[in-house]
Amino acid sequence: MKAHSLHGHLDALLLAVLEGDTLHGYAIIEALKARSGGTLDLPTGTIYPALRRLERAGYVESEWSTVNGRNRRTYRLTGAGRRALAGERASWAELSSTIGRFLGGDIRHT
């Protein structure tokens, strides 16, 4: 799946991935790929700008650490990020329900 197909949803996906863990960038990319069954194989050039945007918004915090002599930045969800994720989930449920009425297959016109 291409990054442009996720327009408007990437931030929510990143928040969801960070919901349970503090992860570094590559681990976030791998989590997206694993949880999507390989469908979401996004480049770093898509993920890192989104993480910076989420950090500026106050939804994600990051810190630098050194692991095996390598610097890596780890990201975690903030309280505001958890609230934003809850809002995204509610919006997604409403949107998918509405679209499902049109594209769901068994549509009856009344």
Side-chain angles (χ1 to χ4, degrees):
M1 181 176 287
K2 302 288 185 200
H4 70 273
S5 301
L6 298 174
H7 183 70
H9 302 290
L10 179 58
D11 290 0
L13 293 172
L14 291 172
L15 293 174
V17 165
L18 289 169
E19 183 176 29
D21 276 321
T22 298
L23 299 170
H24 58 86
Y26 181 74
I28 292 169
I29 292 168
E30 289 299 305
L32 285 167
K33 189 175 178 181
R35 287 175 64 174
S36 70
T39 304
L40 297 178
D41 189 9
L42 302 174
T44 58
T46 298
I47 299 303
Y48 287 109
L51 288 167
R52 285 192 296 275
R53 183 175 57 249
L54 291 169
E55 191 167 19
R56 282 192 307 272
Y59 297 154
V60 169
E61 294 175 335
S62 69
E63 66 183 25
W64 286 100
S65 61
T66 303
V67 177
N68 296 327
R70 295 184 60 183
N71 289 332
R72 58 166 69 156
R73 192 172 204 154
T74 55
Y75 299 87
R76 74 176 160 275
L77 218 50
T78 64
R82 291 185 193 290
R83 290 187 295 278
L85 178 57
E88 291 288 343
R89 283 188 168 131
S91 294
W92 174 253
E94 182 179 355
L95 176 65
S96 61
S97 173
T98 300
I99 291 175
R101 289 185 207 122
F102 293 91
L103 302 178
D106 184 26
I107 307 266
R108 294 186 184 115
H109 299 283
T110 56

